[in-house]
Amino acid sequence: QVEFDELEGSSVIAATVAWDNAVSCTYQRAIEALQTTIWQVSSVLMRVRKKISRSHILASTHVPGKASYDQAVKRALQIIRRNNPMLIKVVLARSTRVVTAADIDPLTWLSCLKVEGENAYQFCLQPPQSAAFIGNTPEQLFHRDCLSICSEALAGTRARGGSELLDLKIGQDLLSSAKDHNEFAIVRECIRRKLEAVCSSVLIEPKKAIRKFPRVQHLYAQLRGRLQTEDDEFKILSSIHPTPAVCGYPTEDARAFISETEMFDRGMYAGPVGWFGGEESEFAVGIRSALVDKGLGALIYA
């Protein structure tokens, strides 16, 4: 109904008006519905611009708790360390339910994450009368522009250093770590194979580098390819997701282990977030995210 695009040096707002007098959906009603939406959008923007008030946390509950999470990690490592392991890599998540004194406005909360938003995707998905799924994710699933497609491998994590010298030292430690390289290579090579199945050629550049964010740094590679046909993007989405970065490898074995082991439903967490368009499509991975609902506080995932 309403689409707002920020371009380089300009912005565009577009509205779609659809009506059919034969089914009582008149032009006038369509215009009134559009005006209502524009008013709602405007009021949201005004609300976000107001001074952000802090909401006191009344209670927080971790699912699973530390002991259960440690036990799940140990069980996964036992399987991985077998002579012929069925599992090479698995990513186990946790959730924290936070109860607050006042309802959290999802867009206001999202605006507070702008400091984390450099080189990352911010998103808010809220179906009518439902909870809002918000997040600030650095992880691109894929971006398609006509037949050109790119994806990213992001894995291995270190904190940022307090000084430039310490930050460089921590980054070098990440680059030289055999454990982190193995974790990263699994992600990169899995995405490469998926792209090669639908692309005429795939280029990886850089093959391995450091990508820095305000609080953390990761191992990073960019993969670019040329699709054989434009409709392959549907295959890309269904085949790349979930990546080994949020699930594991082999995918089905890791997915089964997660289903048996994790003590909560991931829901939209770590799922694809984005859009399909005519000539262009883009999806990110819904990590570093939370589910926010009135009267229920928030479910935060990691």
Side-chain angles (χ1 to χ4, degrees):
Q1 192 177 29
V2 179
E3 181 179 335
F4 178 74
D5 288 326
E6 285 187 289
L7 311 169
E8 289 186 19
S10 65
S11 301
V12 175
I13 187 165
T16 301
V17 183
W19 71 95
D20 187 345
N21 293 327
V23 291
S24 301
C25 182
T26 63
Y27 177 77
Q28 185 59 38
R29 283 191 179 181
I31 292 296
E32 287 170 1
L34 177 61
Q35 288 173 332
T36 301
T37 299
I38 292 289
W39 173 252
Q40 287 173 344
V41 171
S42 301
S43 64
V44 165
L45 292 175
M46 291 303 294
R47 193 168 73 241
V48 169
R49 283 178 184 157
K50 290 179 182 176
K51 186 177 179 181
I52 295 163
S53 59
R54 291 184 176 272
S55 184
H56 295 286
I57 295 174
L58 301 178
S60 63
T61 309
H62 305 300
V63 179
K66 188 178 188 305
S68 296
Y69 186 75
D70 287 349
Q71 189 177 3
V73 170
K74 286 175 183 175
R75 183 169 164 244
L77 288 172
Q78 286 172 354
I79 296 171
I80 289 169
R81 287 168 179 162
R82 288 173 184 167
N83 288 334
N84 295 299
M86 65 170 188
L87 204 56
I88 307 298
K89 179 184 192 295
V90 67
V91 181
L92 297 174
R94 297 174 66 216
S95 69
T96 299
R97 178 175 288 281
V98 176
V99 179
T100 54
D103 285 336
I104 302 167
D105 183 276
L107 289 180
T108 304
W109 193 7
L110 196 59
S111 70
C112 295
L113 294 173
K114 281 185 178 178
V115 67
E116 312 287 346
E118 190 178 348
N119 298 321
Y121 295 91
Q122 287 190 298
F123 60 87
C124 176
L125 297 175
Q126 187 171 22
Q129 311 303 317
S130 299
F133 182 55
I134 67 168
N136 190 89
T137 174
E139 196 166 328
Q140 181 190 77
L141 193 60
F142 76 86
H143 175 225
R144 176 188 68 87
D145 187 355
C146 296
L147 289 175
S148 297
I149 192 165
C150 65
S151 183
E152 294 174 351
L154 209 63
T157 308
R158 293 287 189 281
R160 296 295 304 272
S163 66
E164 189 176 341
L165 185 63
L166 181 59
D167 195 53
L168 187 64
K169 185 175 181 297
I170 293 171
Q172 286 301 317
D173 176 66
L174 178 58
L175 274 172
S176 59
S177 164
K179 181 265 181 189
D180 289 288
H181 174 77
N182 185 40
E183 177 186 344
F184 169 72
I186 290 169
V187 176
R188 183 188 62 194
E189 294 308 301
C190 180
I191 295 173
R192 177 185 62 78
R193 287 192 296 271
K194 299 292 187 184
L195 287 176
E196 285 178 343
V198 291
C199 290
S200 55
S201 61
V202 175
L203 175 68
I204 306 177
E205 186 60 45
K207 288 184 170 60
K208 183 181 175 183
I210 294 287
R211 188 168 174 190
K212 296 181 183 288
F213 295 94
R215 295 177 192 267
V216 293
Q217 45 192 321
H218 301 290
L219 293 174
Y220 162 79
Q222 186 175 67
L223 300 90
R224 292 184 174 276
R226 186 157 184 83
L227 291 168
Q228 295 163 9
T229 61
E230 283 192 29
D231 62 358
D232 282 337
E233 66 180 351
F234 298 100
K235 295 178 188 175
I236 287 281
L237 181 59
S238 59
S239 66
I240 290 185
H241 172 73
T243 73
V246 295
C247 179
Y249 186 80
T251 303
E252 290 310 316
D253 293 311
R255 200 200 303 257
F257 185 86
I258 288 168
S259 180
E260 294 167 9
T261 307
E262 283 186 354
M263 301 167 69
F264 68 99
D265 186 347
R266 288 192 180 190
M268 289 188 282
Y269 170 65
V273 180
W275 51 275
F276 285 119
E279 293 185 344
E280 190 176 4
S281 304
E282 188 164 21
F283 281 84
V285 182
I287 57 172
R288 299 180 193 177
S289 51
L291 197 65
V292 189
D293 204 1
K294 286 183 179 178
L296 296 175
L299 268 172
I300 306 170
Y301 303 100

